[in-house]
Amino acid sequence: MENDLQMSPQLEQIDGEIRDNFRALANGFQKLDKIKDPNRQSKQLEELTGKMRECKRLIKEFDREIKDEESGNPPEVNKQLNDKKQSLIKELNSYVALRKTYMSSLGNKRVELFDMGAGGSDPTAEDNVQVASSMSNQELINAGTNRMDETDQAIERSKMVVEQTIEVGAQTAVTLKGQTEQMGRIVNELDTIQFSIKKASQLVKEIGRQVATDKCIMLFLFLIVCGVVAIIIVKIVNPNNKDIRDIPGLAPPAPARRLLSMKATEPSE
């Protein structure tokens, strides 16, 4: 069937390059059996992996050319070209499986087949090729539509989560604002109380100083009164004591008053 298949020059060129890479892969795996050094085997596998990547790129280019020429080809030719593409994919899958066998025997899991970007969680090209080879065009369209629907649902869920997060953040901000205002009022009240305590302390100190001054004055007056009373008592008890002077404003003792009154009553000559 391949000999009867009519292909454009571009498709023939791509097909020839793919065949060259397949022959290189076959020869490479044959040489790999003869290599005993694990390091050389690992290096050979890396080179073969590069060939597989090139085959994958060429198969994608082959598929693009088929789609570009699909409108100008009869349905039978398009079917033959698609079958040709599927056969190329299956042959590539056989080399991929062979590579995995050698990788498992070497215990080397570092080399990834067909990098899909920086992310390590993306599906490998082998998985994509195997899935695509077992699905029709309509199934591929349905799978793509389902994947888009799942993506839309995930986006909607993300939007809901973002909205809920924003709402919770707004409520938290309102609560924090109220708590901040309350703390401000408490601080102001504490400042007022502290100021009042300082004023009261100063007032108590002033009152204490005044009370101490009044006590000193009262004590001094009390001592003066006690001294005056003591002098009066001594003068009354011992009126002839000349060591004690008369208190100004106080009447002399009773005998002296009698002598004065007697002198005043004697007749004059």
Side-chain angles (χ1 to χ4, degrees), residues 2-260:
E2 293 183 2
N3 295 330
D4 297 336
L5 181 60
Q6 295 179 355
M7 293 187 295
S8 64
Q10 292 83 359
L11 289 176
E12 289 181 356
Q13 182 179 357
I14 296 171
D15 182 61
E17 293 179 2
I18 294 173
R19 287 300 170 188
D20 291 339
N21 281 285
F22 281 164
R23 282 192 293 270
L25 286 171
N27 294 330
F29 280 110
Q30 289 178 2
K31 293 179 180 179
L32 191 62
D33 294 332
K34 300 177 182 180
I35 298 174
K36 303 302 181 182
D37 186 6
N39 293 328
R40 292 181 59 191
Q41 287 182 345
S42 178
K43 185 176 180 180
Q44 181 70 13
L45 280 176
E46 290 178 0
E47 294 178 358
L48 295 175
T49 301
K51 294 288 185 182
M52 293 179 193
R53 291 193 182 99
E54 181 65 16
C55 288
K56 176 198 170 185
R57 184 189 66 79
L58 292 171
I59 290 174
K60 285 185 176 182
E61 188 175 351
F62 188 86
D63 184 58
R64 284 195 297 269
E65 289 293 334
I66 291 175
K67 291 179 180 179
D68 292 340
E69 299 177 2
E70 187 174 7
S71 59
N73 293 330
E76 295 82 5
V77 175
N78 291 329
K79 184 177 183 304
Q80 291 176 359
L81 291 174
N82 285 320
D83 292 340
K84 173 71 173 179
K85 181 189 69 174
Q86 295 296 331
S87 67
L88 295 174
I89 292 173
K90 289 179 181 179
E91 189 170 356
L92 177 60
N93 286 338
S94 65
Y95 288 115
V96 170
L98 188 60
R99 174 192 171 276
K100 275 194 170 183
T101 302
Y102 280 100
M103 290 292 294
S104 177
S105 63
L106 289 173
N108 186 358
K109 303 299 182 180
R110 294 176 299 173
V111 181
E112 293 293 335
L113 179 62
F114 302 147
D115 294 334
M116 299 298 292
S121 60
D122 293 333
T124 61
E126 176 198 349
D127 297 334
N128 292 335
V129 171
Q130 289 178 349
V131 172
S133 63
S134 61
M135 296 174 66
S136 63
N137 292 335
Q138 186 61 38
E139 290 175 342
L140 288 172
I141 293 173
N142 293 335
T145 304
N146 293 333
R147 181 62 61 85
M148 291 175 64
D149 293 338
E150 292 176 358
T151 303
D152 293 338
Q153 293 176 3
I155 292 173
E156 291 297 328
R157 289 194 295 269
S158 300
K159 288 181 179 179
M160 292 177 60
V161 171
V162 171
E163 291 176 356
Q164 293 176 357
T165 303
I166 292 173
E167 184 178 356
V168 172
Q171 294 177 357
T172 304
V174 172
T175 303
L176 290 175
K177 183 179 179 181
Q179 292 179 353
T180 303
E181 293 176 353
Q182 185 177 2
M183 289 297 295
R185 290 193 296 268
I186 293 173
V187 170
N188 292 334
E189 292 177 358
L190 289 175
D191 292 339
T192 304
I193 293 172
Q194 185 178 5
F195 179 76
S196 300
I197 291 173
K198 288 182 178 179
K199 294 293 289 183
S201 177
Q202 293 177 358
L203 182 60
V204 169
K205 290 180 180 179
E206 187 67 24
I207 293 173
R209 286 195 294 268
Q210 293 179 0
V211 170
T213 303
D214 293 340
K215 286 183 177 180
C216 292
I217 294 173
M218 293 297 293
L219 180 61
F220 183 70
L221 293 175
F222 178 74
L223 292 176
I224 292 174
V225 171
C226 290
V228 172
V229 171
I231 292 172
I232 293 171
I233 293 173
V234 172
K235 292 293 286 184
I236 293 172
V237 173
N238 191 4
N240 297 321
N241 191 350
K242 301 298 181 179
D243 295 331
I244 301 175
R245 299 176 59 184
D246 294 336
I247 299 174
L250 187 65
R257 288 199 302 268
R258 285 195 299 269
L259 291 175
L260 290 175

